Amino acid sequence: LFQAILDTGSYEFLVFSTRCTTCGNASLYYDESLSESFEGHQLRTIHSFGSGDTLSQLAFENVTLGPGLHIGRQYFWEVIMANMPALAQQEFEVIVGVGPPGTARADALAQARRPAKVLGDAAKTPGKRLPAKVTEALRDAVALPEEKSVLEHLGVTRFSVCLRRAPEDAEGDFIWHDDAAEKHPMHFIRLPMASTRSWGVKSSGVAIAGQPIGCVDWPGCTAVVDSGTSLIVAPSEAVARAVEILNQMNGDCSDMSKLPSILMQIEGHTFVLPPEAYIAEVVGQIPPRYAKYMRDHNTTTYRRCKVLLMTMDVSTAIGPLWILGMPFLREYYTTFDLGRGPSWPRSLAVAPAGDDCKPDGTKALVPTKRRPRIVDLAQVRLP
């Protein structure tokens, strides 16, 4: 059994391999030599995450993701080299991307054009023969767009994510084929997609303590709901403004109820991120690779209360990018719906989450007193 990240912010299926000598303790990873169903191929590619990069090789394998969730001959990327500090914690061996399947296919189609041309030119040139491994890799690239994603193989058109708020090491629920939004529509707000490539929605404003900090300029911002990112990620200008407002308030972290919530406007609805979603008591040392994403970072080990909004300046077709990571999923039970054609397009269905990680339309969003979460900076993951 392998520990997996079910990542709404990525699209591919990556498995860390014993072949990888830069992935930490490789003995914990997938060993292709122990499998009778492993099918290796020559095509290689690089995947880039906020937490690092991987070099992977195309392969096929029979996969089981849980009771009744079996896939025969699923394509995946076997990671054979990585520059990813998070692997030192040995918390996962697999990344299962559950972003919109069409994104990976569109990328594969774009990348297949050149290999298809190379193969075509070789076939037209008498006596020209490519090395066998090169030919196989080119053929893999051309054939890859026809392969199904994990979601497509499982026939999943909707799934839900909810993370428990307490204690700090609490896990959460990932529900395949979830129908809660259809059974209890009164609890949910359905949000249309603002992006064809991600689980992104359009925000028209973000404020803290009644003062705007972002997304106010037309046409607004794109906010991506990402289960693979540990914190809220925002443009550096918005984070600087939030810190300035909080410094003026002189809030006391010992009683979080005295600190303001972040209010985000999405498609005419207000979503509340309470103080513990972006303020925490931090411990440990942030990996040097991530330091540039943190305001007022410190390379030493420490324990103190701090604003945990990571900075990343990325432009989209709808303005700056925000990433609503795990803190959003602790507050909101979120159903990711791939849609069922033109009459039911892809969307998110979002409901306030109860303490039991169930959709709860009666949940109080502002309890009378809260304690800050404790966050180990060494274990933070980026998109």
Side-chain angles (χ1 to χ4, degrees), residues 28-84:
L28 300 176
Y29 296 139
Y30 170 77
D31 187 344
E32 64 184 54
S33 68
L34 301 179
S35 172
E36 296 180 357
S37 54
F38 172 80
E39 180 184 318
H41 285 248
Q42 295 300 320
L43 182 63
R44 294 186 176 188
T45 193
I46 293 175
H47 294 99
S48 295
F49 302 83
S51 53
D53 304 322
T54 63
L55 173 65
S56 307
Q57 190 162 342
L58 180 66
F60 290 80
E61 179 62 281
N62 297 336
V63 175
T64 299
L65 294 173
L69 297 173
H70 178 74
I71 304 172
R73 198 177 180 274
Q74 170 66 51
Y75 91 86
F76 72 99
W77 294 99
E78 183 181 12
V79 178
I80 56 177
M81 188 179 297
N83 178 16
M84 190 174 283

Side-chain angles (χ1 to χ4, degrees), residues 121-303:
D121 291 345
K124 295 175 185 177
T125 306
K128 182 176 182 179
R129 297 186 62 183
L130 298 171
K133 288 186 176 181
V134 172
T135 299
E136 182 181 345
L138 292 172
R139 288 174 176 167
D140 285 341
V142 172
L144 187 58
E146 301 302 318
E147 297 294 339
K148 292 182 178 180
S149 69
V150 168
L151 291 178
E152 290 169 324
H153 265 301
L154 293 175
V156 173
T157 59
R158 60 182 182 267
F159 58 88
S160 296
V161 182
C162 179
L163 303 180
R164 288 176 171 79
R165 285 183 288 276
E168 272 73 13
D169 59 352
E171 297 181 351
D173 297 331
F174 190 103
I175 307 105
W176 303 98
H177 304 288
D178 188 29
D179 61 357
E182 294 186 4
K183 287 185 174 179
H184 309 287
M186 70 292 294
H187 294 337
F188 287 83
I189 295 171
R190 194 164 289 274
L191 303 173
M193 293 291 92
S195 169
T196 60
R197 297 180 57 86
S198 70
W199 294 110
V201 294
K202 179 180 177 180
S203 171
S204 58
V206 184
I208 184 169
Q211 301 184 55
I213 63 170
C215 302
V216 293
D217 295 329
W218 189 90
C221 298
T222 297
V224 174
V225 182
D226 182 0
S227 63
T229 298
S230 299
L231 305 174
I232 302 296
V233 182
S236 55
E237 184 178 350
V239 175
R241 180 63 178 142
V243 171
E244 178 185 357
I245 293 169
L246 290 168
N247 285 341
Q248 293 172 355
M249 297 180 66
N250 295 319
D252 182 0
C253 199
S254 64
D255 185 356
M256 301 289 276
S257 67
K258 295 180 180 178
L259 294 171
S261 297
I262 292 177
L263 305 183
M264 176 172 271
Q265 301 296 323
I266 301 176
E267 296 293 341
H269 302 278
T270 301
F271 291 85
V272 180
L273 292 173
E276 65 265 33
Y278 71 96
I279 296 175
E281 186 175 356
V282 296
V283 299
Q285 178 180 341
I286 190 165
R289 178 185 178 93
Y290 301 165
K292 62 182 179 180
Y293 300 111
M294 301 291 291
R295 275 186 62 88
D296 188 32
H297 70 272
N298 191 323
T299 56
T300 60
T301 300
Y302 59 92
R303 182 173 187 140

Side-chain angles (χ1 to χ4, degrees), residues 336-354:
F336 299 77
D337 192 334
L338 289 169
R340 282 154 270 177
S343 62
W344 192 284
R346 191 161 55 87
S347 64
L348 295 180
V350 183

